[in-house]
Amino acid sequence: LLLFFALFVTYDEPLAQAEDAKVVANQLYGIFPFFQDIQMMLVVGLGLLLTFLPRYGLSVLTHNFLLLNFSTQWALALQGLIHHFHHGQVHLDLRNLLTAEFAAVTVLISVGAVLGRTSPCQLLLVATCEVPVYLASDEWAIVTHLGVLDVGGTITIHVFSCYFGLGVSKGLFGATRRPVHPKETPTPRSDLLSLVGTLILWVFWPSFVAVLCQPGDAQHRAILNTLLAMSASTVTTVVASSLLERDGKLSAGHLQNGSLAGGVAIGAVADMAMPPVAALALGSLSAVICVLGFRFLTPLLVRKLALQDQCGIHNLHGLPGILGAVASAVAILVASEDTSGSRFSQVQALCQAAGLAAAIGGSLLAGLLAGATLRLPCLARPPEQLSFDDLLYFKTQDQAESPGLGSTTEEGALALKE
């Protein structure tokens, strides 16, 4: 990557004309605040969201940070070769960096399915495989050729990354059904940190959805619709969780994920003209299916398919993403009835459905292949005893006490040596 950047990557040349320079400055000031919000989401919010594993917090934050930076650089190099290679050079600007970070987001979501039982080398290989698949399928096939409308990445980011991650999990672990690891169970402290990550993501999510919208009315609608959807999903999550749990108590896992489901679902329709109640309804419905997914669907997939989904990405990104894609097709058809009922709108609705099918099918197949690659002997997984444990990757103060619950120090030392 360093060699590629040294040989080919350069910044755009300064513009000589003052008027053009003013236009570029206005574009910069319009994008950069959104860009900072997205950085806060990915580095701090998403990192903390994954700290629900009590003995794996250092590893989660570090691996998230590492994958974000590596995947962004890798995406910049690939995007430069595909789109921006002129006269032997790649011209870099803030918008290119932003779209490269969107490619990195897919990696950060996908690895949530195999979190804790994979090594950093395996995670880097997932990023190496996923970024080019994302650029080829989503940017080239789904957006450019099918013309799918998805300003907030509901289909192109959330659905794609979810099923790629599930494919990696299935390809890596196969049909082996793994028992619950003693270090998987969250503690009140780890749940609190994870909930702080949720709050940070919740606050900055409208920037993620609206950053690529056309400035003006479309961007304004995207921000308002996202806030309404996420507000509704938060209230609905509290209600649904209290109804499903005993004594009306809340599940921290439901709140950490369900309150964000509205932001996932609204992305495909955020900039469309629709009444506020539609955004509220979509946010509420997405929260319901997210909570029900955690309560019923995840255990079912474990029993029937032996499918491991460590962070529940299917419930937060997959199911609300599918709901959002369906909502976008319905919104397009309703809008056509309110106006001229043109055949173009019907075709566009079909394109939305085709884009959803392509995102699920292509990512799942690519994920299965990537997961099978992770089974190479040179990419050995962490020993089961040291899964979900920072001891394998960090020097900690309690090394003598942290080999594993229910194990002796000698057994822990042998596992670490392995």
Side-chain angles (χ1 to χ4, degrees), residues 11 14 68 71 79 99 103 145 209 212 219 227 231 273 294 298 305 379:
Y11 294 118
L68 172 63
S71 302
Q79 281 184 336
T99 54
H145 283 72
V209 173
L212 293 181
Q219 200 167 64
L227 284 171
S231 180
F294 274 103
T298 296
L305 302 178
L379 297 170

Side-chain angles (χ1 to χ4, degrees), residues 46 49 58 60 66 70 96 123 167 173 186 201 229 279 282 323 356 387:
L46 184 57
L49 177 64
L58 284 173
V60 162
L66 171 65
F70 172 77
N96 297 346
L123 298 180
F173 300 116
L201 288 169
L282 185 58
L323 175 65
L356 175 63
S387 296

Side-chain angles (χ1 to χ4, degrees), residues 14 98 103 155 192 226 233 239 241 259 262 283 302-303 314 343:
L98 183 62
I155 301 171
L192 178 61
T226 304
S233 65
V239 175
S241 181
S259 57
V302 171
R303 290 196 308 269
H314 191 223
R343 183 174 179 82

Side-chain angles (χ1 to χ4, degrees), residues 183-205:
K183 299 174 190 174
E184 284 186 69
T185 306
T187 63
R189 181 182 179 84
S190 65
D191 270 336
L192 178 61
L193 280 176
S194 182
L195 185 57
V196 171
T198 296
L199 299 179
I200 293 173
L201 288 169
W202 196 97
V203 168
F204 292 110
W205 203 290

Side-chain angles (χ1 to χ4, degrees), residues 105-150:
V105 171
T106 64
V107 177
L108 301 183
I109 295 172
S110 295
V111 299
V114 293
L115 194 69
R117 285 192 166 103
T118 44
S119 67
C121 289
Q122 288 177 310
L123 298 180
L124 288 172
L125 184 58
V126 171
T128 305
C129 296
E130 185 170 4
V131 169
V133 175
Y134 166 79
L135 295 177
S137 65
D138 285 21
E139 285 198 356
W140 180 76
I142 296 177
V143 175
T144 304
H145 283 72
L146 287 177
V148 170
L149 302 177
D150 187 19

Side-chain angles (χ1 to χ4, degrees), residues 22-246:
K22 180 180 268 189
V23 170
V24 173
N26 290 335
Q27 291 176 348
L28 173 64
Y29 298 143
I31 292 178
F32 191 66
F34 291 110
F35 180 79
Q36 287 180 304
D37 292 350
I38 294 170
Q39 291 283 91
M40 188 70 177
M41 288 177 65
L42 302 182
V43 176
V44 184
L46 184 57
L48 289 177
L49 177 64
L50 301 176
T51 57
F52 64 93
L53 297 169
R55 304 181 70 94
Y56 204 60
L58 284 173
S59 300
V60 162
L61 287 168
T62 303
H63 295 166
N64 183 75
F65 199 26
L66 171 65
L67 288 173
L68 172 63
N69 286 279
F70 172 77
S71 302
T72 301
Q73 295 177 38
W74 179 222
L76 281 172
L78 293 176
Q79 281 184 336
L81 289 172
I82 297 172
H83 300 297
H84 311 291
F85 204 81
H86 302 294
H87 308 295
Q89 287 186 324
V90 177
H91 293 282
L92 182 64
D93 60 22
L94 188 58
R95 185 168 288 271
N96 297 346
L97 184 60
L98 183 62
T99 54
E101 284 211 335
F102 283 168
V105 171
T106 64
V107 177
L108 301 183
I109 295 172
S110 295
V111 299
V114 293
L115 194 69
R117 285 192 166 103
T118 44
S119 67
C121 289
Q122 288 177 310
L123 298 180
L124 288 172
L125 184 58
V126 171
T128 305
C129 296
E130 185 170 4
V131 169
V133 175
Y134 166 79
L135 295 177
S137 65
D138 285 21
E139 285 198 356
W140 180 76
I142 296 177
V143 175
T144 304
H145 283 72
L146 287 177
V148 170
L149 302 177
D150 187 19
V151 69
T154 295
I155 301 171
T156 54
I157 293 178
H158 295 288
V159 172
F160 172 86
S161 58
C162 168
Y163 288 97
F164 189 95
L166 295 180
V168 169
S169 178
K170 192 62 179 176
L172 176 60
F173 300 116
T176 304
R177 182 176 173 183
R178 295 180 173 273
V180 176
H181 197 283
K183 299 174 190 174
E184 284 186 69
T185 306
T187 63
R189 181 182 179 84
S190 65
D191 270 336
L192 178 61
L193 280 176
S194 182
L195 185 57
V196 171
T198 296
L199 299 179
I200 293 173
L201 288 169
W202 196 97
V203 168
F204 292 110
W205 203 290
S207 295
F208 182 84
V209 173
V211 64
L212 293 181
C213 292
Q214 290 294 328
D217 289 341
Q219 200 167 64
H220 190 203
R221 281 197 303 269
I223 293 172
L224 293 177
N225 286 332
T226 304
L227 284 171
L228 288 176
M230 298 190 71
S231 180
S233 65
T234 301
V235 175
T236 306
T237 297
V238 173
V239 175
S241 181
S242 64
L243 289 175
L244 289 173
E245 298 296 324
R246 291 183 177 180

Side-chain angles (χ1 to χ4, degrees), residues 321-340:
I322 293 173
L323 175 65
V326 174
S328 68
V330 173
I332 291 169
L333 292 175
V334 171
S336 68
E337 291 178 359
D338 292 342
T339 55
S340 61

